[in-house]
C-alpha cells in the first residue's frame, strides 16, 4: 500500500466520525495508533510537524531497561522496559540490534558494584535476556576500547543492551498503523477541542498546514500524546490549566568512530554530575551523550547549550586518549524530556524523577499521557487504549501488539544503513535498477542514494527536505554540513516527485539552511 497524505486526507474528508483521535506523532502517539487500529477501532492520528520531529528522533538510540533506573530503585519500570526491549527485537529486528557495552573500572569496589547490578539486570530480563554480563581484565577492556585511558584501570564489565534507529522505528509505526486501518497525518495542527452540551470532549478542529485547509472531526475519545507540548493541548481543554510538565534537555554530539575504537559501546556510569554518559557506535559514527538539563521553556528544535557540549567533551577527555575536540564534532542535537513539573523542593533536580509514564483523564473525558521512554512505547499504547475504551464505552477488544510485526519486519541482515529498510529494501533496489540515475549518491562521502528520496516521497510521507535528511535518513544528525551539501539534489528530486515549483525549492533550502545552523558548532 502507498502511505501518503493524499490518502489520509481523503479518508478524513469522506468520514468525520472516529472512535479514537490521537494528537501527537512521536513514539507515544504512534504506539497508541498501532494499538488502537490493530484492535479494530476507527483511528486518526494528527501530528503538527513531521513524525518524531521532536524528542522521539533525538534519543541516545538505545532500547534499554535503564541501568540507571535500577540504581534509583525503580524496579517496576526496569522490569517493564526489559520486557518491551525484547518485544522490539522480536517485532522490529530490522531497526533494532543487540549492542555490547563496556564499563571501565578504576577501583575494585566499583567493578564489583556494577557487576552485581548488571547480573541483576540480566536476571530481570528473564527469557528475553539478550546477553550475559561478565568481568573483563585490563587487557580485555583495552582490546575492546583501544582509546580508553589505562592509568589506574583495573578492568571492567561487559554487558549487553539494545540499540535502534528512533526516527526509522517511528515511521515504521506510522506505516503499521495505516496498514492496520488507521489514518495517520503529519503537518496537521490541532486548533481547538470541541465539546458537547455536557462539556465532554467530542472532537476537534485541525488545519492541514500543507494546504491551509481546516477540518472538523468527531471522536468518541481524544488522546493528548504530545510529549513536551501536552500542556498546550490541555489549555485548549481547560483555559486555566496549570502546567504538568517541565522540559529537561538531553544533548548529544556526534564524532568519527575512530575516537572510540571497535564495535563496543562505552558506558560511564558516574560522571562529574552523577549521571550516566554513553559513547555509542551508530551508523558508522559515534554518538556521545546525554545530559539532563532542566529548562524553563521548550521549543520544537532545541540546541545543545555550550555547557552541555563542554560537559560531554570534558567527560570524554577524562576517559579517552586523544579525545575529540570541538573541531571534531560532526553534528550536535538535543531532545527534551517531558518530566513532571516540580511542585516543591529542588526544581533543578531531574535525575531522581521517574521516567515512568502517567495517564490522566480530564473532567471533559480527554485522555493525556505524559512521561515514559521510547523502549516502553508499546506498553504505553496498550494502557492508553485500555483507558480510552473505558472512558468512551467502546466495545472492549484485547491488545494485539505483543506479537505484531511492524512494517519492514525482516530478519535478513543488510550492509550499512540499508538495514533499516528491512523488507522494503528490494523495492528500493528495483528503483535503482530501473532508473540508473536514482543509484547516484546524494553525497560523495555517504552511501545514501537518490532512490531513497523517491521511495520516501511515495511511501514515507515526506513533505519537507528536513523530513528526509533528518529523519528518513539520518544525515543531519550524522554530519550536519554534509547534509547541507546534499540538500539541493534532494530538494530538486522531491519537487519533481511532489509536483512542486522552483519557488518551493528555494523556500525549502532557505528553511533547511536555518535548521542546519542548530546542528553545527
Amino acid at each position: 500500500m502507498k502511505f501518503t497524505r493524499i490518502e489520509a486526507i481523503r479518508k478524513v474528508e469522506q468520514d468525520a466520525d472516529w472512535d479514537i483521535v490521537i494528537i501527537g506523532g512521536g513514539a507515544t502517539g504512534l504506539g497508541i495508533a498501532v494499538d488502537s487500529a490493530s484492535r479494530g477501532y476507527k483511528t486518526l492520528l494528527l501530528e503538527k510537524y513531521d513524525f518524531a520531529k521532536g524528542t522521539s528522533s533525538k534519543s541516545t538510540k538505545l532500547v534499554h531497561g535503564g541501568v540507571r533506573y535500577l540504581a534509583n530503585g525503580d524496579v517496576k519500570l526496569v522490569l517493564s522496559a526489559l520486557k518491551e526491549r525484547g518485544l522490539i527485537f522480536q517485532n522490529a529486528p530490522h531497526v533494532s540490534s543487540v549492542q555490547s557495552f563496556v564499563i571501565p573500572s578504576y577501583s575494585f569496589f566499583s567493578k564489583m558494584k556494577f557487576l552485581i547490578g548488571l547480573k541483576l539486570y540480566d536476571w530481570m530480563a528473564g527469557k528475553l535476556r539478550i546477553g550475559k554480563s561478565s568481568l573483563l581484565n585490563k587487557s580485555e577492556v583495552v582490546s575492546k576500547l583501544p582509546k580508553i585511558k589505562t592509568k589506574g584501570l583495573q578492568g571492567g564489565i561487559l554487558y549487553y543492551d539494545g540499540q535502534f534507529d528512533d526516527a526509522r522505528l517511528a515511521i515504521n509505526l506510522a506505516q503499521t498503523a495505516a496498514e492496520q486501518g488507521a489514518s495517520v497525518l503529519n503537518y496537521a495542527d490541532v486548533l481547538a477541542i470541541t465539546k458537547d452540551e455536557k462539556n465532554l470532549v467530542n472532537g476537534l478542529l485541525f488545519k492541514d498546514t500543507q494546504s491551509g485547509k481546516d477540518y472538523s472531526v468527531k471522536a468518541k475519545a481524544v488522546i493528548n500524546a504530545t510529549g513536551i507540548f501536552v500542556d498546550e493541548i490541555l489549555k485548549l481543554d481547560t483555559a486555566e490549566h496549570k502546567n504538568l510538565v517541565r522540559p529537561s534537555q538531553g544533548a548529544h554530539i556526534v564524532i568519527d568512530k575512530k575516537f572510540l575504537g571497535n564495535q563496543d559501546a562505552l558506558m560511564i556510569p558516574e560522571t562529574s554530575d552523577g549521571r550516566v554518559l554513553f559513547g555509542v557506535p551508530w551508523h558508522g559514527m559515534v554518538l556521545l551523550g546525554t545530559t539532563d538539563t532542566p529548562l524553563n521553556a521548550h521549543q520544537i528544535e532545541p540546541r545543545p547549550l555550550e555547557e552541555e557540549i563542554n560537559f560531554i567533551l570534558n567527560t570524554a577527555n577524562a576517559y579517552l586518549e586523544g579525545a575529540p575536540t570541538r573541531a571534531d564534532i560532526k553534528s550536535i542535537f538535543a531532545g527534551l524530556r517531558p518530566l513532571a513539573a516540580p511542585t516543591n523542593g529542588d526544581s533543578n533536580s531531574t535525575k531522581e524523577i521517574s521516567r515512568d509514564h502517567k495517564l490522566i483523564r480530564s473532567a471533559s473525558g480527554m485522555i493525556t499521557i505524559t512521561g515514559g521512554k521510547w523502549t516502553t512505547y508499546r506498553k504505553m499504547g496498550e494502557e492508553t487504549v485500555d483507558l480510552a475504551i473505558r472512558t468512551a464505552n467502546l466495545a472492549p477488544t484485547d491488545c494485539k501488539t505483543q506479537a505484531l510485526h511492524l512494517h519492514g519486519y525482516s530478519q535478513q541482515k543488510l550492509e550499512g544503513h540499508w538495514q533499516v529498510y528491512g523488507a522494503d529494501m528490494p523495492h528500493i533496489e528495483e528503483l535503482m535498477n530501473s532508473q540508473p540515475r536514482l543509484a547516484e549518491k546524494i553525497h560523495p562521502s555517504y552511501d545514501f542514494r537518490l532512490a531513497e528520496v523517491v521511495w520516501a516521497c511515495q511511501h514515507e510521507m515526506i513533505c519537507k527536505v528536513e523530513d528526509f535528511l533528518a529523519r528518513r535518513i539520518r544525515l543531519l544528525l550524522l554530519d550536519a554540513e554534509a547534509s547541507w551539501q546534499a540538500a539541493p539534489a534532494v530538494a530538486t528530486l522531491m519537487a519533481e516527485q511532489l509536483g512542486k515549483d522552483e519557488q518551493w525549492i528555494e523556500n525549502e533550502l532557505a528553511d533547511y539552511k536555518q535548521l542546519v545552523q542548530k546542528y553545527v558548532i
Side-chain angles (χ1 to χ4, degrees):
M1 63 173 287
K2 285 198 173 185
F3 178 68
T4 64
R5 295 187 84 256
I6 292 169
E7 179 63 19
I9 290 285
R10 186 182 66 79
K11 284 169 95 170
V12 169
E13 289 178 340
Q14 278 181 346
D15 193 345
D17 292 311
W18 302 83
D19 292 327
I20 293 177
V21 176
I22 302 144
I23 311 168
T28 308
L30 292 166
I32 296 165
V34 170
D35 188 290
S36 173
S38 63
R39 295 198 209 195
Y41 301 120
K42 204 170 160 194
T43 305
L44 173 65
L45 179 141
L46 304 169
E47 162 56 43
K48 182 176 180 178
Y49 302 102
D50 182 34
F51 307 115
K53 156 85 168 165
T55 307
S56 295
S57 62
K58 313 285 182 53
S59 76
T60 313
K61 322 305 178 197
L62 301 179
V63 187
H64 63 135
V67 177
R68 187 177 103 198
Y69 312 133
L70 186 58
N72 290 348
D74 208 337
V75 174
K76 176 173 162 280
L77 176 60
V78 176
L79 278 169
S80 174
L82 285 170
K83 179 188 175 185
E84 295 303 321
R85 179 188 70 178
L87 295 180
I88 288 173
F89 285 149
Q90 287 180 14
N91 295 326
H94 59 297
V95 287
S96 61
S97 60
V98 175
Q99 174 67 55
S100 55
F101 289 78
V102 175
I103 303 176
S105 296
Y106 293 85
S107 79
F108 176 79
F109 173 74
S110 71
K111 190 162 62 170
M112 290 301 107
K113 179 176 75 171
F114 294 122
L115 180 65
I116 292 164
L118 287 163
K119 285 291 185 188
L120 177 60
Y121 190 64
D122 290 347
W123 175 77
M124 288 170 73
K127 66 179 188 295
L128 294 172
R129 189 174 78 178
I130 57 174
K132 191 175 178 184
S133 301
S134 60
L135 272 178
L136 301 175
N137 62 34
K138 181 176 178 177
S139 63
E140 288 171 328
V141 172
V142 173
S143 73
K144 289 181 173 297
L145 299 174
K147 301 293 185 181
I148 199 72
K149 287 193 172 173
T150 56
K151 186 179 179 184
L153 182 66
Q154 296 203 4
I157 315 292
L158 175 70
Y159 79 99
Y160 297 87
D161 229 326
Q163 190 190 55
F164 77 138
D165 188 310
D166 47 12
R168 289 302 311 179
L169 179 54
I171 194 65
N172 288 159
L173 287 169
Q175 291 164 317
T176 306
E179 287 162 1
Q180 294 294 322
S183 290
V184 182
L185 196 58
N186 56 3
Y187 295 99
D189 185 11
V190 172
L191 306 173
I193 303 290
T194 59
K195 298 180 181 180
D196 63 15
E197 64 281 356
K198 295 178 181 172
N199 210 33
L200 297 176
V201 168
N202 68 356
L204 51 77
L205 305 173
F206 75 91
K207 181 185 285 292
D208 173 4
T209 59
Q210 293 296 293
S211 68
K213 190 172 176 184
D214 291 349
Y215 294 89
S216 173
V217 295
K218 295 292 182 193
K220 292 172 184 168
V222 172
I223 296 168
N224 172 14
T226 52
I228 55 166
F229 299 104
V230 292
D231 289 314
E232 280 87 326
I233 301 300
L234 282 161
K235 280 167 186 165
L236 294 179
D237 178 39
T238 309
E240 60 276 11
H241 164 76
K242 295 277 190 297
N243 285 355
L244 277 178
V245 304
R246 182 186 182 187
S248 168
Q249 180 159 292
H252 302 81
I253 67 173
V254 178
I255 52 174
D256 193 281
K257 62 183 178 184
K258 70 183 181 186
F259 290 103
L260 191 59
N262 300 328
Q263 299 304 309
D264 301 278
L266 167 67
M267 196 266 236
I268 300 167
E270 291 174 338
T271 61
S272 60
D273 72 348
R275 294 190 172 91
V276 172
L277 194 84
F278 292 100
V280 187
W282 189 65
H283 286 318
M285 295 291 187
V286 165
L287 186 146
L288 289 175
T290 181
T291 58
D292 211 346
T293 310
L295 301 177
N296 291 317
H298 56 264
Q299 55 183 313
I300 189 63
E301 275 293 350
R303 178 183 165 92
L305 304 172
E306 280 300 311
E307 54 262 38
E308 292 179 307
I309 296 166
N310 292 334
F311 166 75
I312 294 170
L313 288 172
N314 291 340
T315 304
N317 188 52
Y319 284 85
L320 300 174
E321 299 286 0
T325 66
R326 290 176 72 87
D328 298 306
I329 294 174
K330 298 279 191 181
S331 187
I332 60 174
F333 66 92
L336 301 181
R337 308 175 189 90
L339 301 185
T343 50
N344 51 42
D346 180 7
S347 66
N348 285 327
S349 178
T350 62
K351 64 181 176 180
E352 302 305 326
I353 296 174
S354 172
R355 270 21 177 200
D356 214 346
H357 57 279
K358 291 180 177 61
L359 268 168
I360 300 150
R361 179 168 48 191
S362 302
S364 66
M366 186 170 78
I367 295 165
T368 294
I369 181 163
T370 183
K373 57 206 286 287
W374 238 123
T375 310
T376 56
Y377 84 86
R378 190 211 62 82
K379 183 66 175 169
M380 291 159 67
E382 178 182 348
E383 291 181 12
T384 307
V385 174
D386 285 346
L387 180 57
I389 291 167
R390 297 195 299 273
T391 300
N393 294 316
L394 299 173
T397 310
D398 290 340
C399 173
K400 309 284 195 298
T401 55
Q402 284 208 33
L404 180 65
H405 289 172
L406 300 185
H407 180 93
Y409 173 91
S410 171
Q411 293 185 321
Q412 185 183 359
K413 292 299 170 195
L414 302 171
E415 285 295 312
H417 82 283
W418 299 110
Q419 172 65 25
V420 300
Y421 289 109
D424 285 338
M425 186 58 203
H427 304 300
I428 299 169
E429 284 179 327
E430 195 179 312
L431 279 173
M432 291 191 280
N433 292 335
S434 62
Q435 300 176 64
R437 176 178 79 100
L438 298 182
E440 293 173 14
K441 291 183 176 184
I442 67 168
H443 189 282
S445 301
Y446 295 91
D447 195 30
F448 302 112
R449 311 298 179 97
L450 288 172
E452 295 174 76
V453 182
V454 173
W455 179 258
C457 287
Q458 294 177 355
H459 300 278
E460 294 184 350
M461 212 183 276
I462 59 171
C463 298
K464 295 179 67 60
V465 167
E466 71 155 283
D467 300 343
F468 180 75
L469 287 170
R471 289 175 291 280
R472 304 306 184 272
I473 67 172
R474 312 309 306 277
L475 191 52
L476 176 62
L477 274 65
L478 295 169
D479 188 334
E481 191 56 47
S483 81
W484 170 241
Q485 292 161 8
V490 171
T492 301
L493 186 51
M494 280 183 69
E496 189 183 299
Q497 287 290 313
L498 301 175
K500 304 294 185 180
D501 58 15
E502 286 293 327
Q503 187 60 54
W504 180 87
I505 295 174
E506 201 176 297
N507 292 344
E508 277 298 304
L509 290 176
D511 286 354
Y512 192 68
K513 188 171 188 179
Q514 272 193 313
L515 180 65
V516 168
Q517 296 312 307
K518 290 180 178 283
Y519 288 75
V520 294
I521 287 285

